[in-house]
Amino acid sequence: MGSASPKALRLHTIIMFGLVLFTILLAGIAYAVPWYSDTFTYTSTGIFYSQNTTWSLQKVHQNSNILNLEINRDTLWADMKDYPTLRDMYGVSMGFTALALIVAGVIGICVLYVQFVRKFDKVRLVVRIIIRVVCFVLLIVAIIAWGVMLQHPTKYSDDYKKSQNRDCNLNLCKSFQGTYSGSFDMNFDGLGDVTGNEVWGPMAGFWLMVVATVTSFLLCVEVVRAWVMKHDD
C-alpha cells in the first residue's frame, strides 16, 4: 500500500497532536482539582449541620457548617497519619497522573519532530517507533491513575478500623458512590440518632482522567491506523 498524500499526513498529524494536547489538558486539570467527596447534612432540634469532605491528590479539605458558623480546614496527605493506606492510594494516583502528563508531552514532542524535521531518516524512524510504543504506555498509565481509586471504600475502611478500633459502618466504607437518606448512628451505639442525607462519590479529577483514558485510546487507534495505512512511512 502506498504512502498517503501530504494533505492526509497533515491531517493525521493535527489529529494526533490535538489528542495529545487534550490529554495533557485533562491530566493537568485533574492534578489540581478534587477527586472524591462526601457530603453529610442533618437537622437536629432545629439545628442545621453539614459537613463536606473533598479528597484531592495533594490534600483533604473539610468544610463544616453549624449554627451558620463555617469552618474550613485543609490537611496535606503527609499529615494524614491515621489514614496511611488511603494516603498511599492517592499517592499512586498522583504519581500516575503526573506520569501521564510527562508521557503525553513526550509523544507531542515526537509527533512534532516527525512532522517538521525532514533530515536524519534513521532518527525519524526511531521516533516513529517510540510514538507507537509510548502511546500504549500512556493508555495504561491513565487507566491506573483512576483505576486505583475504585479501592476507595476498601482503603478507607481498613484505615478506619485501625484508627478507631472498630468496624467501619459508614457509607464511605460500603460503596464507591451513592446517596442515602435516613437515620445515622452518630454515637456508634447501634441506634439511629439523627435523620439526614449523605452523598458520596468521585469528583472532577477522577472523571477527567477517565476522559483522558478515552483520548489516549483514540490516540493509540490513530497511531495504529497510520501504521497499517503506512501514513508515516
Side-chain angles (χ1 to χ4, degrees):
M1 189 176 294
S3 298
S5 66
K7 184 177 180 180
L9 284 169
R10 286 193 297 271
L11 179 59
H12 163 64
T13 301
I14 291 172
I15 293 174
M16 287 188 61
F17 196 67
L19 288 169
V20 168
L21 287 180
F22 194 43
T23 302
I24 291 175
L25 177 63
L26 292 169
I29 297 175
Y31 196 87
V33 300
W35 280 55
Y36 200 84
S37 75
D38 174 54
T39 301
F40 169 61
T41 61
Y42 75 87
T43 301
S44 178
T45 61
I47 298 174
F48 175 79
Y49 173 83
S50 70
Q51 177 174 298
N52 173 253
T53 304
T54 57
W55 292 265
S56 64
L57 298 181
Q58 298 85 19
K59 63 183 180 181
V60 179
H61 176 76
Q62 287 186 317
N63 173 273
S64 300
N65 188 309
I66 184 169
L67 294 174
N68 294 321
L69 176 63
E70 187 171 341
I71 301 173
N72 289 283
R73 183 178 67 179
D74 289 326
T75 307
L76 297 177
W77 277 112
D79 299 323
M80 295 290 288
K81 305 300 183 182
D82 291 337
Y83 291 86
T85 306
L86 195 67
R87 179 185 62 201
D88 291 344
M89 185 192 74
Y90 274 88
V92 171
S93 288
M94 175 187 285
F96 277 89
T97 300
L99 186 57
L101 284 167
I102 295 171
V103 174
V106 169
I107 295 175
I109 293 172
C110 290
V111 170
L112 292 178
Y113 183 91
V114 172
Q115 175 65 22
F116 295 108
V117 178
R118 297 304 179 184
K119 298 180 180 180
F120 313 114
D121 287 342
K122 291 184 178 180
V123 176
R124 293 177 77 239
L125 177 60
V126 171
V127 172
R128 292 187 189 110
I129 294 174
I130 291 175
I131 294 174
R132 293 165 183 168
V133 173
V134 176
C135 73
F136 289 99
V137 173
L138 175 61
L139 177 60
I140 294 172
V141 166
I143 292 174
I144 294 175
W146 62 264
V148 296
M149 291 293 297
L150 298 177
Q151 304 176 79
H152 203 285
T154 301
K155 301 298 184 183
Y156 190 93
S157 178
D158 290 344
D159 287 337
Y160 184 93
K161 290 177 182 178
K162 293 177 182 177
S163 63
Q164 304 296 325
N165 293 317
R166 60 172 177 261
D167 289 338
C168 181
N169 292 319
L170 303 177
N171 291 318
L172 282 173
C173 301
K174 298 176 181 178
S175 63
F176 181 63
Q177 64 178 346
T179 60
Y180 174 78
S181 296
S183 60
F184 289 84
D185 183 11
M186 304 298 291
N187 297 320
F188 303 101
D189 55 5
L191 301 175
D193 303 304
V194 299
T195 300
N197 302 286
E198 185 175 13
V199 179
W200 69 97
M203 292 190 71
F206 176 87
W207 295 115
L208 285 170
M209 284 309 297
V210 171
V211 177
T213 301
V214 175
T215 58
S216 300
F217 175 75
L218 294 176
L219 177 62
C220 291
V221 170
E222 186 65 21
V223 169
V224 171
R225 187 181 70 85
W227 189 3
V228 173
M229 298 298 292
K230 297 185 178 181
H231 274 194
D232 57 357
D233 290 338

